[in-house]
Amino acid sequence: TDPAAVSQIDLGIGGMTCASCVSRVEKTLKKQAGVSEATVNLATESARITLAGPSDAETLARLKRAVRGELQELFARAAP
């Protein structure tokens, strides 16, 4: 990968409550097209995402949707 084409996004992620949430969100992000690395931090409620290319509004929206969907699924499973 051309180092000049690599970009990073810092994404705020609210609603995570445990290490399991962090793990699932990281896995979800890493499965997304163009993502070469993702590190999620529970304490700061954020993710640092490295893309193998430039970031744009469409990519950011896609990543947010993926995270939102994963968290909704986790909370639906945890609901009584």
Side-chain angles (χ1 to χ4, degrees):
T1 305
D2 177 9
V6 173
S7 60
Q8 285 192 331
I9 298 174
D10 288 322
L11 181 65
I13 303 174
M16 295 185 298
T17 58
C18 63
S20 178
C21 292
V22 169
S23 176
R24 294 282 302 264
V25 170
E26 277 186 359
K27 286 179 186 176
T28 297
L29 286 168
K30 289 177 181 179
K31 289 180 185 177
Q32 302 305 305
V35 174
S36 58
E37 184 59 44
T39 305
V40 178
N41 186 310
L42 179 61
T44 61
E45 294 188 316
S46 65
R48 173 154 290 175
I49 304 159
T50 303
L51 301 171
S55 66
D56 56 25
E58 183 179 322
T59 300
L60 183 58
R62 181 173 47 83
L63 295 174
K64 286 181 178 180
R65 281 192 306 271
V67 169
R68 189 177 320 121
E70 185 61 34
L71 289 175
Q72 287 174 345
E73 184 179 321
L74 279 171
F75 294 138
R77 288 183 189 170

